[in-house]
Amino acid sequence: MLEKTNIQKSCIIEQHRIVVDDKLIWSSEPEVSFSNFSKEAFHHLDIDYPKFYKMDALSKLAFLAAEYILQGEDTGELALVLTSKSGSLDTDLKHQQSIRDSEYFYPRPATFVYTLPNICAGEICIRHGLQTENAFFIAEEFPEKTIFAYADYLLQSNKAKRVLCGWVEYFQEKYRAFLYIF
Amino acid sequence: MTALKEELKRQIIDVLNLEDITPADIQDEEALFGEGLGLDSIDALELIVLMDKVYGIKLSDPKKGRDIFQSVQTMATYISENRTK
């Protein structure tokens, strides 16, 4: 089975810092909101992708982690396996807020479309043209053995040449993402 | 009408999260979908909600939307003729 020693590349986003292969790539002032942090981190990439601004926080986090780890990488036959604790709960609550008042009932379509956890995986697939295997699991903590075993299965069964996998977690301003390439 | 068009441009930028675009960047006759601002189907739904929420206009016929949402100019004309708020 795959182990941490088989990791080809890693990216960690937490506490206003983006680290790729243990090297600090970018950081913002610690007091900024996730909204501003993610916007600045996106600008640092210097790419033209207006859809980013319309994503919910979880998708922005996942998108940024994928973007930073995949810079300069071949994405051909790259599978995607993500895990999270809260999934889309933060956006679910925002949507629920918009529909709780029957007298002022204006659900936001742009919010509603992000009320599924695996939408963030879809955003990564769209951005990088991935048409390979992908999966999204919810767990209390990163289920390392399960995910590494699943990544191993994808590689051993020739369903993918490489696997991008890891943890993307956002809930009410608390966030953490770590992605690996096997 | 000019004030309404400026108000509409600000609202469109706000509800559709059009970063780095100012009202001055949107021409009155410019296409909102496709070649122009490049809006998508979810944006169209947001515009329908905007029309209802801000101007009290309920669009029940999707076919009408194609004409109404052609540009800021067409939106402003429709709003000025049908608004209830």
Side-chain angles (χ1 to χ4, degrees):
Chain A
M1 194 183 85
L2 292 173
E3 296 176 2
K4 282 198 166 174
T5 51
N6 301 110
I7 293 170
Q8 297 174 11
K9 196 172 180 182
S10 68
C11 174
I12 300 171
I13 301 180
E14 61 182 345
Q15 296 179 332
H16 308 91
R17 293 156 55 92
I18 297 177
V19 175
V20 175
D21 283 345
D22 299 324
K23 185 180 168 193
L24 179 65
I25 299 296
W26 187 80
S27 66
S28 74
E29 295 298 321
E31 68 273 10
V32 301
S33 64
F34 177 76
S35 173
N36 286 333
F37 164 76
S38 60
K39 192 190 294 185
E40 290 172 22
F42 177 71
H43 287 160
H44 181 71
L45 286 165
D46 196 24
I47 53 173
D48 182 24
Y49 200 73
K51 179 84 194 297
F52 177 81
Y53 299 113
K54 301 183 181 194
M55 296 178 192
D56 73 340
L58 180 67
S59 289
K60 282 180 178 171
L61 179 65
F63 178 94
L64 285 171
E67 205 66 26
Y68 276 93
I69 198 172
L70 291 176
Q71 279 187 320
E73 297 293 327
D74 177 11
T75 55
E77 295 184 59
L78 178 74
L80 179 64
V81 183
L82 297 178
T83 54
S84 174
K85 178 183 176 184
S86 303
S88 60
L89 184 59
D90 189 80
T91 302
D92 297 347
L93 290 172
K94 285 190 174 84
H95 177 62
Q96 196 267 341
Q97 280 286 114
S98 73
I99 60 172
R100 66 191 303 176
D101 186 350
S102 58
E103 298 296 310
Y104 195 76
F105 189 81
Y106 293 108
R108 292 280 312 270
T111 303
F112 176 71
V113 293
Y114 286 99
T115 56
L116 281 173
N118 62 346
I119 298 298
C120 66
E123 293 288 8
I124 294 171
C125 292
I126 291 167
R127 164 66 177 160
H128 297 282
L130 307 182
Q131 297 182 0
T132 44
E133 296 281 326
N134 73 73
F136 195 103
F137 298 95
I138 299 291
E140 275 292 315
E141 294 177 348
F142 180 56
E144 185 177 303
K145 280 187 180 174
T146 304
I147 298 307
F148 288 8
Y150 188 60
D152 190 39
Y153 158 73
L154 291 172
L155 296 172
Q156 295 298 329
S157 57
N158 291 320
K159 290 184 183 299
K161 278 186 180 169
R162 295 202 296 171
V163 180
L164 175 63
C165 64
W167 176 260
V168 287
E169 169 66 15
Y170 178 93
F171 185 64
Q172 295 180 340
E173 284 295 314
K174 289 186 180 166
Y175 60 92
R176 185 175 189 224
F178 50 86
L179 294 186
Y180 306 126
I181 296 177
F182 280 111
Chain B
M1 184 69 99
T2 304
L4 175 59
K5 284 188 279 192
E6 287 306 303
E7 181 182 285
L8 258 181
K9 288 175 186 178
R10 283 196 301 275
Q11 287 163 344
I12 288 170
I13 289 168
D14 182 42
V15 299
L16 303 185
N17 292 322
L18 302 178
E19 290 280 333
D20 305 326
I21 290 181
T22 67
D25 296 328
I26 305 175
Q27 305 305 310
D28 292 355
E29 307 281 353
E30 184 180 10
L32 294 174
F33 294 85
E35 289 296 306
L37 281 182
L39 305 185
D40 59 22
S41 56
I42 300 300
D43 295 323
L45 293 173
E46 285 287 348
L47 293 182
I48 289 171
V49 174
L50 169 73
M51 298 274 270
D52 185 2
K53 194 174 175 179
V54 182
Y55 302 105
I57 298 171
K58 289 191 187 297
L59 291 178
S60 51
D61 184 358
K63 288 176 188 167
K64 277 187 175 177
R66 191 179 291 270
D67 296 327
I68 298 165
F69 296 132
Q70 270 185 8
S71 66
V72 168
Q73 179 66 54
T74 55
M75 275 186 80
T77 302
Y78 188 81
I79 289 168
S80 62
E81 291 170 355
N82 296 278
R83 66 188 301 171
T84 59
K85 285 187 187 173

